[in-house]
Coordinates of all heavy atoms in Angstrom, one line a residue:
M1 N 3.6 136.3 140.5 CA 3.9 137.6 140.8 C 4.9 138.1 139.8 O 5.9 137.5 139.5 CB 4.4 137.7 142.2 CG 4.9 139.1 142.6 SD 5.6 139.1 144.3 CE 7.2 138.4 144.0
I2 N 4.7 139.3 139.3 CA 5.7 139.9 138.4 C 6.9 140.4 139.2 O 6.8 141.1 140.2 CB 5.1 141.1 137.6 CG1 3.9 140.7 136.7 CG2 6.1 141.9 136.8 CD1 4.4 139.8 135.6
V3 N 8.0 140.0 138.8 CA 9.3 140.4 139.4 C 9.9 141.5 138.7 O 10.4 142.5 139.2 CB 10.3 139.2 139.5 CG1 11.6 139.6 140.0 CG2 9.7 138.1 140.4
C4 N 10.0 141.4 137.3 CA 10.5 142.4 136.5 C 9.4 143.1 135.7 O 8.8 142.5 134.8 CB 11.6 141.8 135.5 SG 12.3 143.1 134.4
V5 N 9.1 144.3 136.2 CA 8.0 145.1 135.5 C 8.4 145.5 134.1 O 7.5 145.4 133.2 CB 7.6 146.3 136.4 CG1 6.6 147.2 135.7 CG2 7.2 145.9 137.8
C6 N 9.6 145.9 133.9 CA 10.0 146.4 132.6 C 9.9 145.3 131.5 O 9.5 145.6 130.4 CB 11.4 146.9 132.7 SG 11.7 148.3 133.7
K7 N 10.2 144.1 131.9 CA 10.1 143.0 130.9 C 9.0 142.0 131.1 O 8.9 141.0 130.4 CB 11.5 142.2 130.9 CG 12.7 143.1 130.6 CD 12.7 143.5 129.1 CE 13.9 144.3 128.8 NZ 14.0 144.6 127.3
S8 N 8.1 142.4 132.1 CA 7.0 141.5 132.4 C 7.4 140.0 132.6 O 6.8 139.1 132.0 CB 5.9 141.6 131.3 OG 5.4 142.9 131.2
V9 N 8.3 139.9 133.5 CA 8.8 138.5 133.9 C 8.3 138.2 135.3 O 8.6 138.9 136.2 CB 10.3 138.4 133.8 CG1 10.8 137.0 134.2 CG2 10.8 138.8 132.3
S10 N 7.7 137.0 135.4 CA 7.2 136.6 136.7 C 8.2 135.7 137.4 O 9.1 135.2 136.8 CB 5.8 135.8 136.5 OG 6.1 134.6 135.9
D11 N 7.9 135.5 138.7 CA 8.7 134.5 139.5 C 8.6 133.1 138.9 O 9.5 132.4 138.9 CB 8.4 134.6 141.0 CG 7.0 134.3 141.3 OD1 6.1 134.5 140.5 OD2 6.7 133.7 142.4
R12 N 7.4 132.8 138.4 CA 7.2 131.5 137.8 C 8.0 131.3 136.6 O 8.6 130.2 136.4 CB 5.7 131.4 137.5 CG 5.3 130.0 137.0 CD 3.9 129.9 136.5 NE 3.0 130.1 137.7 CZ 1.7 130.0 137.6 NH1 1.1 129.8 136.5 NH2 1.0 130.2 138.7
T13 N 8.2 132.3 135.8 CA 9.0 132.2 134.6 C 10.5 132.0 135.0 O 11.2 131.2 134.4 CB 8.8 133.5 133.7 OG1 7.5 133.6 133.4 CG2 9.7 133.4 132.5
I14 N 10.9 132.8 136.0 CA 12.3 132.6 136.5 C 12.5 131.2 137.0 O 13.5 130.6 136.7 CB 12.6 133.7 137.5 CG1 12.6 135.1 136.9 CG2 14.0 133.5 138.2 CD1 12.6 136.2 137.9
R15 N 11.6 130.7 137.8 CA 11.8 129.4 138.4 C 11.8 128.3 137.3 O 12.5 127.3 137.3 CB 10.6 129.1 139.4 CG 10.7 129.8 140.7 CD 9.6 129.5 141.6 NE 9.2 130.6 142.4 CZ 9.8 131.0 143.5 NH1 10.9 130.3 143.9 NH2 9.4 132.0 144.2
S16 N 10.9 128.5 136.3 CA 10.9 127.6 135.1 C 12.2 127.6 134.4 O 12.7 126.5 134.0 CB 9.8 128.0 134.2 OG 9.8 127.2 133.0
S17 N 12.8 128.8 134.2 CA 14.1 128.8 133.5 C 15.2 128.2 134.3 O 16.0 127.4 133.8 CB 14.5 130.3 133.3 OG 13.7 130.9 132.3
I18 N 15.1 128.3 135.7 CA 16.1 127.7 136.5 C 15.9 126.2 136.5 O 16.9 125.4 136.4 CB 16.0 128.2 138.0 CG1 16.5 129.7 138.1 CG2 16.8 127.3 139.0 CD1 16.2 130.4 139.4
A19 N 14.7 125.7 136.5 CA 14.4 124.3 136.3 C 14.9 123.7 135.0 O 15.3 122.6 134.9 CB 12.9 124.0 136.5
D20 N 14.9 124.6 134.0 CA 15.4 124.2 132.7 C 16.9 124.2 132.5 O 17.5 124.0 131.5 CB 14.8 125.0 131.6 CG 13.3 124.7 131.4 OD1 12.8 123.6 131.8 OD2 12.6 125.6 130.8
G21 N 17.6 124.6 133.6 CA 19.1 124.6 133.6 C 19.8 125.9 133.7 O 21.0 126.0 133.8
V22 N 19.0 127.0 133.7 CA 19.7 128.3 133.8 C 20.2 128.4 135.2 O 19.4 128.3 136.2 CB 18.7 129.5 133.5 CG1 19.4 130.8 133.8 CG2 18.3 129.4 132.0
D23 N 21.5 128.7 135.4 CA 22.0 128.6 136.8 C 22.8 129.9 137.2 O 23.6 129.8 138.1 CB 22.8 127.4 137.0 CG 24.0 127.2 136.1 OD1 24.2 128.2 135.3 OD2 24.7 126.3 136.3
S24 N 22.7 130.9 136.5 CA 23.4 132.2 136.9 C 22.6 133.4 136.6 O 21.7 133.3 135.7 CB 24.8 132.3 136.2 OG 24.6 132.6 134.8
F25 N 22.9 134.4 137.3 CA 22.1 135.7 137.1 C 22.3 136.2 135.7 O 21.4 136.6 135.0 CB 22.6 136.7 138.1 CG 21.9 138.1 137.9 CD1 20.6 138.3 138.4 CD2 22.5 139.1 137.2 CE1 20.0 139.5 138.3 CE2 21.9 140.3 137.0 CZ 20.6 140.5 137.6
D26 N 23.5 136.1 135.2 CA 23.8 136.6 133.8 C 23.0 135.8 132.8 O 22.5 136.4 131.8 CB 25.3 136.5 133.5 CG 26.2 137.5 134.3 OD1 25.6 138.4 134.9 OD2 27.4 137.3 134.4
E27 N 22.9 134.5 133.0 CA 22.1 133.7 132.0 C 20.6 134.2 132.1 O 19.9 134.3 131.1 CB 22.2 132.2 132.4 CG 23.3 131.5 131.6 CD 23.2 130.1 131.9 OE1 23.7 129.6 132.9 OE2 22.6 129.4 131.0
L28 N 20.1 134.4 133.3 CA 18.7 134.8 133.4 C 18.5 136.2 132.8 O 17.5 136.4 132.1 CB 18.3 134.9 134.9 CG 17.9 133.6 135.6 CD1 17.7 133.9 137.1 CD2 16.7 133.0 135.0
Q29 N 19.5 137.0 132.9 CA 19.4 138.3 132.3 C 19.4 138.2 130.8 O 18.7 138.9 130.1 CB 20.7 139.1 132.8 CG 20.5 140.6 132.7 CD 21.6 141.4 133.4 OE1 22.7 140.9 133.5 NE2 21.3 142.5 133.9
F30 N 20.2 137.3 130.3 CA 20.3 137.1 128.8 C 19.1 136.5 128.3 O 18.5 136.9 127.3 CB 21.5 136.3 128.5 CG 21.7 136.0 127.0 CD1 22.2 137.0 126.2 CD2 21.3 134.8 126.5 CE1 22.3 136.8 124.8 CE2 21.4 134.6 125.1 CZ 22.0 135.6 124.3
E31 N 18.6 135.4 129.0 CA 17.4 134.6 128.5 C 16.1 135.4 128.6 O 15.3 135.3 127.7 CB 17.3 133.3 129.2 CG 18.5 132.3 129.0 CD 18.5 131.8 127.6 OE1 17.4 131.7 127.0 OE2 19.6 131.5 127.1
L32 N 15.9 136.1 129.8 CA 14.6 136.7 130.1 C 14.6 138.2 130.0 O 13.6 138.8 130.0 CB 14.2 136.2 131.4 CG 14.1 134.7 131.7 CD1 13.7 134.5 133.1 CD2 13.1 134.1 130.7
G33 N 15.8 138.8 130.0 CA 15.9 140.3 130.0 C 15.7 140.9 131.3 O 15.6 142.1 131.4
V34 N 15.6 140.1 132.4 CA 15.5 140.7 133.7 C 16.6 141.6 134.1 O 17.8 141.4 133.6 CB 15.3 139.6 134.8 CG1 14.0 138.9 134.6 CG2 16.5 138.7 134.9
A35 N 16.3 142.7 134.8 CA 17.3 143.6 135.2 C 18.2 144.2 134.1 O 19.3 144.6 134.3 CB 18.2 143.0 136.3
S36 N 17.6 144.3 132.9 CA 18.3 144.8 131.8 C 17.8 146.2 131.3 O 18.3 146.8 130.4 CB 18.3 143.9 130.6 OG 17.0 143.7 130.2
C37 N 16.8 146.7 132.1 CA 16.2 148.0 131.7 C 16.5 149.0 132.8 O 17.6 149.6 132.8 CB 14.7 147.8 131.4 SG 14.0 149.3 130.7
C38 N 15.7 149.1 133.8 CA 15.9 150.0 134.9 C 16.8 149.3 136.0 O 17.5 150.0 136.8 CB 14.6 150.4 135.6 SG 13.8 149.2 136.6
G39 N 16.8 148.0 136.1 CA 17.7 147.3 137.0 C 17.1 147.2 138.4 O 17.7 146.5 139.3
K40 N 16.0 147.7 138.7 CA 15.4 147.7 140.1 C 15.0 146.3 140.5 O 14.8 146.1 141.7 CB 14.3 148.7 140.2 CG 14.7 150.1 140.0 CD 13.6 151.1 140.3 CE 14.2 152.5 140.2 NZ 13.1 153.5 140.4
C41 N 14.8 145.4 139.6 CA 14.4 144.0 140.0 C 15.5 143.1 140.4 O 15.3 142.0 140.7 CB 13.6 143.4 138.9 SG 14.5 143.2 137.3
E42 N 16.8 143.5 140.2 CA 17.9 142.6 140.4 C 17.9 141.9 141.7 O 18.0 140.7 141.8 CB 19.2 143.4 140.3 CG 20.4 142.5 140.4 CD 21.7 143.2 140.2 OE1 21.8 144.3 139.6 OE2 22.8 142.6 140.6
E43 N 17.6 142.6 142.8 CA 17.6 142.0 144.1 C 16.5 141.0 144.2 O 16.7 139.9 144.8 CB 17.4 143.1 145.2 CG 17.6 142.6 146.6 CD 17.7 143.7 147.6 OE1 18.3 144.7 147.3 OE2 17.1 143.5 148.7
S44 N 15.3 141.3 143.7 CA 14.2 140.3 143.7 C 14.5 139.1 142.9 O 14.2 138.0 143.2 CB 12.9 141.0 143.2 OG 12.6 142.1 144.0
V45 N 15.2 139.3 141.7 CA 15.6 138.1 140.9 C 16.5 137.3 141.6 O 16.4 136.0 141.7 CB 16.2 138.6 139.5 CG1 16.8 137.4 138.8 CG2 15.2 139.3 138.7
R46 N 17.5 137.9 142.3 CA 18.5 137.1 143.1 C 17.8 136.4 144.3 O 18.2 135.3 144.6 CB 19.6 138.0 143.6 CG 20.5 138.5 142.5 CD 21.7 139.3 143.0 NE 22.4 139.9 141.9 CZ 23.3 139.3 141.1 NH1 23.6 138.0 141.4 NH2 23.9 139.9 140.1
D47 N 16.7 137.0 144.9 CA 16.0 136.3 145.9 C 15.3 135.1 145.4 O 15.3 134.0 146.0 CB 14.9 137.2 146.5 CG 15.4 138.3 147.5 OD1 16.5 138.0 148.0 OD2 14.7 139.3 147.7
V48 N 14.7 135.2 144.2 CA 14.0 134.0 143.5 C 15.1 132.9 143.3 O 14.8 131.7 143.5 CB 13.3 134.4 142.3 CG1 12.7 133.2 141.5 CG2 12.2 135.4 142.6
M49 N 16.3 133.3 142.8 CA 17.3 132.4 142.5 C 17.7 131.6 143.8 O 17.8 130.4 143.8 CB 18.6 133.1 142.0 CG 18.4 133.7 140.6 SD 19.9 134.6 140.1 CE 21.1 133.3 140.0
L50 N 17.9 132.4 144.9 CA 18.2 131.8 146.2 C 17.2 130.8 146.7 O 17.5 129.7 147.1 CB 18.5 132.9 147.2 CG 19.3 132.5 148.4 CD1 20.7 132.0 148.0 CD2 19.5 133.7 149.3
Q51 N 15.9 131.2 146.5 CA 14.8 130.4 147.0 C 14.7 129.1 146.1 O 14.2 128.1 146.6 CB 13.5 131.2 146.8 CG 13.3 132.3 147.8 CD 12.2 133.2 147.5 OE1 11.5 133.0 146.5 NE2 12.1 134.3 148.2
S52 N 15.3 129.2 144.9 CA 15.3 128.0 144.0 C 16.5 127.2 144.1 O 16.7 126.3 143.4 CB 15.1 128.5 142.6 OG 13.9 129.2 142.4
G53 N 17.4 127.6 145.1 CA 18.6 126.8 145.3 C 19.8 127.1 144.5 O 20.7 126.3 144.4
V54 N 19.7 128.2 143.8 CA 20.9 128.7 143.0 C 21.5 129.8 143.7 O 20.9 130.7 144.2 CB 20.4 129.1 141.6 CG1 21.5 129.7 140.7 CG2 19.7 128.0 140.9
C55 N 22.9 129.8 143.7 CA 23.6 130.8 144.4 C 23.3 132.2 143.8 O 23.2 132.4 142.6 CB 25.1 130.6 144.2 SG 26.2 131.9 144.9
A56 N 22.9 133.2 144.6 CA 22.5 134.5 144.2 C 23.7 135.4 143.8 O 23.5 136.5 143.3 CB 21.7 135.2 145.3
S57 N 24.9 134.9 144.0 CA 26.1 135.7 143.6 C 26.3 135.4 142.1 O 25.5 134.7 141.5 CB 27.3 135.3 144.4 OG 27.8 134.1 144.0
R58 N 27.3 135.8 141.5 CA 27.5 135.6 140.1 C 28.2 134.3 139.8 O 28.5 134.1 138.6 CB 28.3 136.8 139.5 CG 27.5 138.1 139.7 CD 28.2 139.2 138.9 NE 27.4 140.4 139.0 CZ 27.8 141.5 139.5 NH1 29.0 141.6 139.9 NH2 27.0 142.5 139.6
C59 N 28.5 133.5 140.7 CA 29.3 132.3 140.4 C 28.5 131.2 139.7 O 29.1 130.4 139.0 CB 29.9 131.7 141.7 SG 28.7 130.9 142.8
G60 N 27.2 131.2 139.8 CA 26.4 130.2 139.1 C 26.4 128.8 139.6 O 25.8 127.9 139.0
V61 N 27.0 128.7 140.8 CA 27.1 127.3 141.4 C 25.8 127.1 142.3 O 25.4 128.0 142.9 CB 28.3 127.2 142.3 CG1 28.4 125.9 143.1 CG2 29.6 127.4 141.5
G62 N 25.3 125.9 142.2 CA 24.1 125.6 143.0 C 24.5 125.8 144.5 O 25.6 125.5 144.9
I63 N 23.6 126.3 145.3 CA 23.8 126.7 146.7 C 24.3 125.5 147.5 O 25.1 125.6 148.4 CB 22.6 127.4 147.3 CG1 23.0 128.0 148.7 CG2 21.5 126.4 147.5 CD1 23.3 129.4 148.6
E64 N 23.8 124.3 147.1 CA 24.2 123.1 147.9 C 25.6 122.7 147.6 O 26.2 121.9 148.4 CB 23.2 121.9 147.5 CG 23.4 121.3 146.1 CD 22.6 122.2 145.1 OE1 22.1 123.2 145.4 OE2 22.6 121.7 143.9
H65 N 26.2 123.2 146.5 CA 27.6 122.9 146.2 C 28.5 124.0 146.5 O 29.7 124.0 146.3 CB 27.7 122.6 144.7 CG 26.9 121.4 144.2 ND1 27.0 120.2 144.7 CD2 25.8 121.4 143.4 CE1 26.1 119.4 144.2 NE2 25.4 120.1 143.4
H66 N 28.0 125.1 147.1 CA 28.8 126.3 147.4 C 29.7 126.0 148.6 O 29.2 125.4 149.6 CB 27.9 127.5 147.7 CG 28.5 128.8 147.3 ND1 29.4 129.4 148.1 CD2 28.4 129.5 146.2 CE1 29.8 130.5 147.5 NE2 29.2 130.6 146.4
P67 N 31.0 126.3 148.5 CA 31.9 126.0 149.6 C 31.5 126.7 150.9 O 31.8 126.2 152.0 CB 33.2 126.4 149.1 CG 32.9 127.4 148.0 CD 31.6 127.0 147.4
Q68 N 30.9 127.8 150.8 CA 30.5 128.5 152.0 C 29.0 128.9 151.9 O 28.6 129.3 150.8 CB 31.3 129.8 152.2 CG 32.8 129.5 152.5 CD 33.6 130.8 152.5 OE1 33.2 131.8 151.8 NE2 34.6 130.8 153.3
A69 N 28.3 128.9 152.9 CA 26.9 129.3 152.9 C 26.9 130.8 152.5 O 27.7 131.6 153.0 CB 26.2 129.1 154.2
V70 N 26.0 131.2 151.7 CA 25.8 132.6 151.3 C 24.7 133.2 152.1 O 23.6 132.7 152.0 CB 25.5 132.7 149.8 CG1 25.3 134.2 149.4 CG2 26.6 132.1 148.9
P71 N 25.0 134.2 152.9 CA 24.0 134.8 153.7 C 22.8 135.4 152.8 O 23.1 135.8 151.7 CB 24.7 136.0 154.4 CG 26.1 135.7 154.3 CD 26.3 134.8 153.1
L72 N 21.6 135.3 153.3 CA 20.5 135.8 152.5 C 20.6 137.2 152.1 O 20.0 137.6 151.1 CB 19.2 135.5 153.3 CG 18.8 134.1 153.5 CD1 17.6 134.0 154.4 CD2 18.5 133.4 152.2
T73 N 21.3 138.0 152.9 CA 21.4 139.4 152.6 C 22.6 139.8 151.7 O 22.8 140.9 151.4 CB 21.5 140.2 153.9 OG1 22.6 139.8 154.7 CG2 20.3 140.1 154.8
F74 N 23.3 138.8 151.3 CA 24.5 139.0 150.5 C 24.1 139.2 149.0 O 23.6 138.4 148.4 CB 25.5 137.9 150.6 CG 26.7 138.1 149.6 CD1 27.7 138.9 149.9 CD2 26.8 137.3 148.5 CE1 28.8 139.1 149.1 CE2 27.8 137.5 147.6 CZ 28.9 138.4 147.9
Y75 N 24.5 140.4 148.4 CA 24.3 140.6 147.0 C 25.5 141.4 146.5 O 26.0 142.3 147.1 CB 23.0 141.5 146.8 CG 21.8 140.8 147.2 CD1 21.1 141.2 148.4 CD2 21.2 139.7 146.5 CE1 20.0 140.6 148.8 CE2 20.1 139.1 146.9 CZ 19.5 139.5 148.0 OH 18.3 138.9 148.4
E76 N 25.9 141.0 145.3 CA 26.9 141.8 144.6 C 26.1 142.7 143.7 O 25.5 142.3 142.7 CB 27.8 140.9 143.8 CG 28.7 140.0 144.6 CD 29.7 139.2 143.8 OE1 30.1 139.8 142.7 OE2 29.9 138.1 144.1
R77 N 26.0 143.9 144.0 CA 25.3 144.9 143.3 C 26.1 145.4 142.1 O 27.3 145.7 142.2 CB 24.8 146.0 144.1 CG 24.1 145.6 145.4 CD 22.7 145.6 145.3 NE 22.1 146.5 144.4 CZ 20.8 146.6 144.2 NH1 20.0 145.7 144.7 NH2 20.3 147.4 143.3
K78 N 25.5 145.5 141.0 CA 26.2 146.1 139.8 C 26.3 147.6 140.0 O 25.3 148.2 140.6 CB 25.4 145.8 138.5 CG 25.5 144.4 138.1 CD 24.9 144.2 136.8 CE 25.1 142.8 136.4 NZ 24.4 142.5 135.1
A79 N 27.3 148.2 139.6 CA 27.5 149.7 139.7 C 26.4 150.3 138.8 O 26.1 149.8 137.7 CB 28.9 150.1 139.2
A80 N 25.9 151.4 139.2 CA 24.8 152.1 138.5 C 25.4 152.8 137.3 O 26.6 153.2 137.3 CB 24.0 153.0 139.4
Ligands
FES101 S1 12.0 146.1 136.7 FE1 13.4 144.7 135.8 S2 14.6 146.0 134.5 FE2 13.1 147.3 135.4

């Protein structure tokens, strides 16, 4: 499924990058270009990160190592 329409990035590509060691939203944004155009995919990218066991906040720490559980609805939104 395409997550980022602007850059044609699928959830499979995001998961592959995470499996290759990308562990923060900023890195995904740099490596794949997600959420770097219209930005509407940011929440979906963070959902894929969370489903892949990576903290969806900007800390880049694996969710299993996070000192506090991050609620599924927690997102740090970038200012428009
Ligand atoms: S849908 Fe990802 S930047 Fe527009």
Side-chain angles (χ1 to χ4, degrees):
M1 175 184 76
I2 295 295
V3 173
C4 178
V5 174
C6 295
K7 299 291 181 176
S8 296
V9 178
S10 68
D11 60 329
R12 185 182 296 181
T13 302
I14 294 170
R15 289 180 211 281
S16 176
S17 291
I18 290 170
D20 289 342
V22 174
D23 63 358
S24 72
F25 178 81
D26 289 346
E27 270 188 274
L28 281 174
Q29 201 170 31
F30 180 78
E31 294 291 330
L32 304 176
V34 294
S36 62
C37 192
C38 73
K40 292 185 177 180
C41 61
E42 180 176 344
E43 189 171 319
S44 298
V45 171
R46 292 184 187 278
D47 281 343
V48 174
M49 290 175 68
L50 199 57
Q51 291 164 5
S52 300
V54 176
C55 179
S57 72
R58 296 190 177 119
C59 70
V61 174
I63 192 96
E64 70 279 6
H65 302 297
H66 210 279
Q68 297 174 328
V70 179
L72 292 174
T73 55
F74 174 77
Y75 296 105
E76 289 184 40
R77 307 266 329 175
K78 288 186 176 177

